Amino acid sequence: MIKIKTKDEIKKMRRVGKLASHLLDYITPFVKEGVSTQYLNDLCEEFAQKNNAISAPLNYEGFPKSICTSIDNVVCHGIPSKDDILKDGQIVNIDVTLILDGYHGDTSRTFLIGNVSEDVRNLVDRTEKAMYKGINAIKPGKYLYEVGKAIEKYISKFGYSIVRDYGGHGIGKEFHEEPQVYHNYTRENKILLKEGMIFTVEPMINMGKSYKVVTSPIDGWTVTTKDNSVSAQFEHTVLVTAKGAEILTKS
Ligand code: MF3
Ligand code: CO
Ligand code: CO
């Protein structure tokens, strides 16, 4: 069942969405060569606490940290560590989810560390564009698969691949609600969009030809590309409005 949010819930989702976007703005100047992902994690945790919010990932199904930090070939769910020091030429996705007043706001961006190769910079730019193509396809009365269709149409010409095993999701009182949002075109998303639905759009795009991913058997969380190619991701939480979509995590 896909929940239609009430006016009051939408207010709360706007508030937590804004706070999550402010958290990414706040962390941005710290995301540079030489810092550990653990340090970024700790700054985010401190920000959450100062703002009377909760870091949703911490202890979520046993996840051990407050944010996800996914470097280079890590697709998603990278675990912050003091041993992961950001290096020149890398990219890192920082995915934050806050809970405020019982509601979740989920957003991520991919950051460039120092001098990143043109190929990888293009991947990052195009992944962000792909997310907006998906968001711009949202309209009540249309099917949810228009999101994946728009992303696929844009991304396919670059020879990249769209991750299938992980997608966007409804969000509200729960971190992950229905529906599952695919970032490729599939009939599984033949779901009518209605005003008041809230979900994330968060394409993970692999530079290589394979959309396949592998989960670390060691930590049970870290998802990497099967071919070890670099992968980028951006994420917003969006509300379906009468006109289209409102981005709740816009900075
Ligand atoms: N924030 C991620 C998402 O966009 C989910 C992270 S789950 C965690 O859905 F447990 F890894 F934190
Ligand atoms: Co999400
Ligand atoms: Co997220």
Side-chain angles (χ1 to χ4, degrees), residues 44-69:
C44 289
E45 180 54 39
E46 183 186 61
F47 178 99
Q49 288 180 18
K50 279 194 176 147
N51 288 282
N52 303 310
I54 297 164
S55 303
L58 187 60
N59 301 321
Y60 177 78
E61 291 179 8
F63 190 78
K65 301 284 174 171
S66 302
I67 61 172
C68 296
T69 50

mmCIF file of all heavy atoms in Angstrom, residues 44-69:
data_model
loop_
_atom_site.group_PDB
_atom_site.id
_atom_site.type_symbol
_atom_site.label_atom_id
_atom_site.label_comp_id
_atom_site.label_asym_id
_atom_site.label_seq_id
_atom_site.Cartn_x
_atom_site.Cartn_y
_atom_site.Cartn_z
ATOM 1 N N CYS A 44 28.574 14.546 10.926
ATOM 2 C CA CYS A 44 27.141 14.413 10.597
ATOM 3 C C CYS A 44 26.337 14.009 11.828
ATOM 4 O O CYS A 44 25.232 14.513 12.052
ATOM 5 C CB CYS A 44 26.937 13.395 9.474
ATOM 6 S SG CYS A 44 27.520 13.986 7.867
ATOM 7 N N GLU A 45 26.882 13.111 12.625
ATOM 8 C CA GLU A 45 26.189 12.677 13.839
ATOM 9 C C GLU A 45 26.019 13.850 14.804
ATOM 10 O O GLU A 45 24.946 14.043 15.394
ATOM 11 C CB GLU A 45 26.962 11.524 14.497
ATOM 12 C CG GLU A 45 26.347 10.986 15.766
ATOM 13 C CD GLU A 45 24.881 10.546 15.625
ATOM 14 O OE1 GLU A 45 24.519 9.962 14.580
ATOM 15 O OE2 GLU A 45 24.090 10.805 16.566
ATOM 16 N N GLU A 46 27.079 14.652 14.920
ATOM 17 C CA GLU A 46 27.036 15.824 15.806
ATOM 18 C C GLU A 46 25.982 16.834 15.303
ATOM 19 O O GLU A 46 25.207 17.386 16.088
ATOM 20 C CB GLU A 46 28.430 16.462 15.834
ATOM 21 C CG GLU A 46 28.566 17.630 16.758
ATOM 22 C CD GLU A 46 29.945 18.288 16.622
ATOM 23 O OE1 GLU A 46 30.290 18.764 15.524
ATOM 24 O OE2 GLU A 46 30.674 18.313 17.613
ATOM 25 N N PHE A 47 25.941 17.027 13.980
ATOM 26 C CA PHE A 47 24.942 17.937 13.379
ATOM 27 C C PHE A 47 23.525 17.452 13.693
ATOM 28 O O PHE A 47 22.654 18.235 14.068
ATOM 29 C CB PHE A 47 25.162 17.989 11.860
ATOM 30 C CG PHE A 47 24.180 18.857 11.108
ATOM 31 C CD1 PHE A 47 24.512 20.160 10.720
ATOM 32 C CD2 PHE A 47 22.916 18.372 10.760
ATOM 33 C CE1 PHE A 47 23.601 20.951 10.021
ATOM 34 C CE2 PHE A 47 22.001 19.165 10.058
ATOM 35 C CZ PHE A 47 22.353 20.459 9.687
ATOM 36 N N ALA A 48 23.311 16.161 13.538
ATOM 37 C CA ALA A 48 21.980 15.596 13.805
ATOM 38 C C ALA A 48 21.581 15.879 15.252
ATOM 39 O O ALA A 48 20.478 16.378 15.517
ATOM 40 C CB ALA A 48 21.981 14.099 13.522
ATOM 41 N N GLN A 49 22.481 15.580 16.166
ATOM 42 C CA GLN A 49 22.163 15.753 17.591
ATOM 43 C C GLN A 49 21.888 17.200 17.945
ATOM 44 O O GLN A 49 20.951 17.504 18.681
ATOM 45 C CB GLN A 49 23.294 15.175 18.448
ATOM 46 C CG GLN A 49 23.288 13.641 18.400
ATOM 47 C CD GLN A 49 24.394 13.012 19.225
ATOM 48 O OE1 GLN A 49 24.983 13.638 20.099
ATOM 49 N NE2 GLN A 49 24.691 11.751 18.944
ATOM 50 N N LYS A 50 22.700 18.115 17.385
ATOM 51 C CA LYS A 50 22.506 19.552 17.654
ATOM 52 C C LYS A 50 21.157 20.040 17.146
ATOM 53 O O LYS A 50 20.621 21.027 17.625
ATOM 54 C CB LYS A 50 23.622 20.368 16.991
ATOM 55 C CG LYS A 50 24.891 20.386 17.804
ATOM 56 C CD LYS A 50 25.859 21.453 17.311
ATOM 57 C CE LYS A 50 27.091 21.509 18.209
ATOM 58 N NZ LYS A 50 28.304 21.873 17.456
ATOM 59 N N ASN A 51 20.631 19.359 16.129
ATOM 60 C CA ASN A 51 19.355 19.771 15.540
ATOM 61 C C ASN A 51 18.182 18.897 16.006
ATOM 62 O O ASN A 51 17.121 18.892 15.373
ATOM 63 C CB ASN A 51 19.463 19.770 14.013
ATOM 64 C CG ASN A 51 20.316 20.929 13.521
ATOM 65 O OD1 ASN A 51 19.845 22.055 13.463
ATOM 66 N ND2 ASN A 51 21.568 20.667 13.221
ATOM 67 N N ASN A 52 18.418 18.192 17.113
ATOM 68 C CA ASN A 52 17.375 17.327 17.700
ATOM 69 C C ASN A 52 16.835 16.297 16.717
ATOM 70 O O ASN A 52 15.660 15.932 16.767
ATOM 71 C CB ASN A 52 16.217 18.170 18.251
ATOM 72 C CG ASN A 52 16.702 19.158 19.279
ATOM 73 O OD1 ASN A 52 17.413 18.782 20.208
ATOM 74 N ND2 ASN A 52 16.373 20.427 19.097
ATOM 75 N N ALA A 53 17.712 15.875 15.820
ATOM 76 C CA ALA A 53 17.314 14.862 14.838
ATOM 77 C C ALA A 53 18.063 13.564 15.126
ATOM 78 O O ALA A 53 18.999 13.532 15.930
ATOM 79 C CB ALA A 53 17.620 15.355 13.426
ATOM 80 N N ILE A 54 17.628 12.510 14.472
ATOM 81 C CA ILE A 54 18.258 11.195 14.619
ATOM 82 C C ILE A 54 18.838 10.793 13.267
ATOM 83 O O ILE A 54 18.210 11.024 12.224
ATOM 84 C CB ILE A 54 17.214 10.151 15.086
ATOM 85 C CG1 ILE A 54 16.673 10.520 16.480
ATOM 86 C CG2 ILE A 54 17.791 8.743 15.082
ATOM 87 C CD1 ILE A 54 15.399 9.785 16.852
ATOM 88 N N SER A 55 20.039 10.201 13.284
ATOM 89 C CA SER A 55 20.622 9.643 12.066
ATOM 90 C C SER A 55 19.952 8.296 11.813
ATOM 91 O O SER A 55 20.185 7.336 12.552
ATOM 92 C CB SER A 55 22.124 9.426 12.233
ATOM 93 O OG SER A 55 22.757 10.635 12.586
ATOM 94 N N ALA A 56 19.144 8.225 10.771
ATOM 95 C CA ALA A 56 18.357 7.007 10.539
ATOM 96 C C ALA A 56 19.199 5.754 10.243
ATOM 97 O O ALA A 56 18.808 4.657 10.650
ATOM 98 C CB ALA A 56 17.346 7.232 9.418
ATOM 99 N N PRO A 57 20.330 5.878 9.530
ATOM 100 C CA PRO A 57 21.088 4.651 9.221
ATOM 101 C C PRO A 57 21.623 3.939 10.463
ATOM 102 O O PRO A 57 21.723 2.707 10.464
ATOM 103 C CB PRO A 57 22.246 5.157 8.352
ATOM 104 C CG PRO A 57 21.699 6.384 7.699
ATOM 105 C CD PRO A 57 20.852 7.036 8.779
ATOM 106 N N LEU A 58 21.969 4.704 11.515
ATOM 107 C CA LEU A 58 22.600 4.108 12.699
ATOM 108 C C LEU A 58 21.687 3.046 13.307
ATOM 109 O O LEU A 58 20.566 3.340 13.734
ATOM 110 C CB LEU A 58 22.916 5.204 13.726
ATOM 111 C CG LEU A 58 23.726 4.779 14.952
ATOM 112 C CD1 LEU A 58 25.096 4.218 14.557
ATOM 113 C CD2 LEU A 58 23.903 5.960 15.908
ATOM 114 N N ASN A 59 22.185 1.813 13.314
ATOM 115 C CA ASN A 59 21.460 0.635 13.832
ATOM 116 C C ASN A 59 20.273 0.208 12.959
ATOM 117 O O ASN A 59 19.506 -0.663 13.363
ATOM 118 C CB ASN A 59 20.975 0.863 15.270
ATOM 119 C CG ASN A 59 22.138 1.157 16.200
ATOM 120 O OD1 ASN A 59 23.195 0.548 16.074
ATOM 121 N ND2 ASN A 59 21.953 2.100 17.101
ATOM 122 N N TYR A 60 20.117 0.824 11.786
ATOM 123 C CA TYR A 60 19.042 0.403 10.881
ATOM 124 C C TYR A 60 19.395 -0.972 10.317
ATOM 125 O O TYR A 60 20.398 -1.120 9.605
ATOM 126 C CB TYR A 60 18.863 1.426 9.752
ATOM 127 C CG TYR A 60 17.819 1.032 8.725
ATOM 128 C CD1 TYR A 60 16.460 1.179 8.977
ATOM 129 C CD2 TYR A 60 18.200 0.492 7.495
ATOM 130 C CE1 TYR A 60 15.511 0.819 8.048
ATOM 131 C CE2 TYR A 60 17.253 0.128 6.544
ATOM 132 C CZ TYR A 60 15.912 0.293 6.830
ATOM 133 O OH TYR A 60 14.968 -0.059 5.894
ATOM 134 N N GLU A 61 18.617 -1.952 10.653
ATOM 135 C CA GLU A 61 18.908 -3.345 10.274
ATOM 136 C C GLU A 61 20.360 -3.724 10.565
ATOM 137 O O GLU A 61 20.978 -4.479 9.817
ATOM 138 C CB GLU A 61 18.550 -3.581 8.792
ATOM 139 C CG GLU A 61 17.029 -3.532 8.587
ATOM 140 C CD GLU A 61 16.592 -3.740 7.152
ATOM 141 O OE1 GLU A 61 17.430 -4.075 6.302
ATOM 142 O OE2 GLU A 61 15.375 -3.568 6.900
ATOM 143 N N GLY A 62 20.889 -3.116 11.623
ATOM 144 C CA GLY A 62 22.255 -3.427 12.049
ATOM 145 C C GLY A 62 23.347 -2.605 11.393
ATOM 146 O O GLY A 62 24.535 -2.855 11.640
ATOM 147 N N PHE A 63 22.978 -1.613 10.566
ATOM 148 C CA PHE A 63 24.020 -0.760 9.969
ATOM 149 C C PHE A 63 24.757 -0.048 11.103
ATOM 150 O O PHE A 63 24.129 0.495 12.007
ATOM 151 C CB PHE A 63 23.405 0.248 8.988
ATOM 152 C CG PHE A 63 24.442 0.979 8.169
ATOM 153 C CD1 PHE A 63 25.059 0.364 7.084
ATOM 154 C CD2 PHE A 63 24.810 2.288 8.485
ATOM 155 C CE1 PHE A 63 26.023 1.033 6.322
ATOM 156 C CE2 PHE A 63 25.768 2.957 7.737
ATOM 157 C CZ PHE A 63 26.366 2.335 6.653
ATOM 158 N N PRO A 64 26.123 -0.049 11.050
ATOM 159 C CA PRO A 64 26.866 0.400 12.235
ATOM 160 C C PRO A 64 27.155 1.901 12.350
ATOM 161 O O PRO A 64 27.684 2.328 13.370
ATOM 162 C CB PRO A 64 28.179 -0.382 12.117
ATOM 163 C CG PRO A 64 28.360 -0.583 10.650
ATOM 164 C CD PRO A 64 26.984 -0.696 10.054
ATOM 165 N N LYS A 65 26.847 2.690 11.329
ATOM 166 C CA LYS A 65 27.254 4.106 11.358
ATOM 167 C C LYS A 65 26.074 5.028 11.051
ATOM 168 O O LYS A 65 24.971 4.564 10.739
ATOM 169 C CB LYS A 65 28.394 4.337 10.364
ATOM 170 C CG LYS A 65 29.639 3.500 10.624
ATOM 171 C CD LYS A 65 30.463 4.012 11.796
ATOM 172 C CE LYS A 65 31.616 3.042 12.079
ATOM 173 N NZ LYS A 65 32.571 3.579 13.047
ATOM 174 N N SER A 66 26.354 6.344 11.091
ATOM 175 C CA SER A 66 25.289 7.350 10.961
ATOM 176 C C SER A 66 24.983 7.760 9.527
ATOM 177 O O SER A 66 23.915 8.327 9.248
ATOM 178 C CB SER A 66 25.668 8.599 11.753
ATOM 179 O OG SER A 66 25.880 8.257 13.104
ATOM 180 N N ILE A 67 25.947 7.552 8.638
ATOM 181 C CA ILE A 67 25.776 7.907 7.212
ATOM 182 C C ILE A 67 26.388 6.796 6.356
ATOM 183 O O ILE A 67 27.102 5.927 6.884
ATOM 184 C CB ILE A 67 26.481 9.252 6.860
ATOM 185 C CG1 ILE A 67 28.004 9.170 7.115
ATOM 186 C CG2 ILE A 67 25.869 10.407 7.654
ATOM 187 C CD1 ILE A 67 28.808 10.365 6.613
ATOM 188 N N CYS A 68 26.126 6.847 5.058
ATOM 189 C CA CYS A 68 26.812 5.933 4.143
ATOM 190 C C CYS A 68 27.819 6.751 3.333
ATOM 191 O O CYS A 68 27.507 7.846 2.872
ATOM 192 C CB CYS A 68 25.831 5.258 3.191
ATOM 193 S SG CYS A 68 24.632 4.188 4.016
ATOM 194 N N THR A 69 29.020 6.204 3.189
ATOM 195 C CA THR A 69 30.068 6.860 2.414
ATOM 196 C C THR A 69 30.580 5.857 1.383
ATOM 197 O O THR A 69 31.195 4.853 1.754
ATOM 198 C CB THR A 69 31.215 7.335 3.322
ATOM 199 O OG1 THR A 69 31.631 6.255 4.165
ATOM 200 C CG2 THR A 69 30.782 8.499 4.205
#
